Amino acid sequence: MIGDIKTAKILLNAWKLYGGSHLTLEDVKHTHAKRVEVSPAKTGEDVHFETDGELPGKLPATYEIVPQALKVRVPISSK
């Protein structure tokens, strides 16, 4: 999760997303979970959200890990 961070700081650190080093930023929090439920802080408030660059809708939202739902192909290591 990314906290209340200024646009300039996001732009200056956007390159870290690609290398995975964005987790070292103090405004970024991470954890492990199988299921995450998100709802507005104020009941009845319309909160639109972004997921991986897409705008799928409004809160509440539930994210859940589905085992074996994705097939991932990776190159053979050259080591």
Side-chain angles (χ1 to χ4, degrees):
M1 295 186 303
I2 299 177
D4 188 13
I5 185 172
K6 302 286 185 204
T7 303
K9 190 170 184 179
I10 291 173
L11 294 174
L12 287 172
N13 290 285
W15 62 273
K16 291 184 176 188
L17 290 171
Y18 296 100
S21 61
H22 63 287
L23 298 178
T24 61
L25 296 172
E26 66 182 46
D27 298 307
V28 176
K29 308 291 183 236
H30 70 284
T31 188
H32 296 269
K34 291 183 180 181
R35 180 182 171 105
V36 176
E37 296 180 21
V38 186
S39 59
K42 296 179 184 175
T43 304
E45 184 176 24
D46 279 346
V47 178
H48 295 268
F49 65 96
E50 177 184 339
T51 300
D52 197 26
E54 301 293 325
L55 299 170
K58 298 186 284 188
L59 295 182
T62 301
Y63 297 89
E64 190 168 7
I65 300 299
V66 180
Q68 300 180 356
L70 297 175
K71 293 184 186 235
V72 180
R73 298 179 73 181
V74 296
I76 296 173
S77 176
S78 60
K79 291 181 182 180

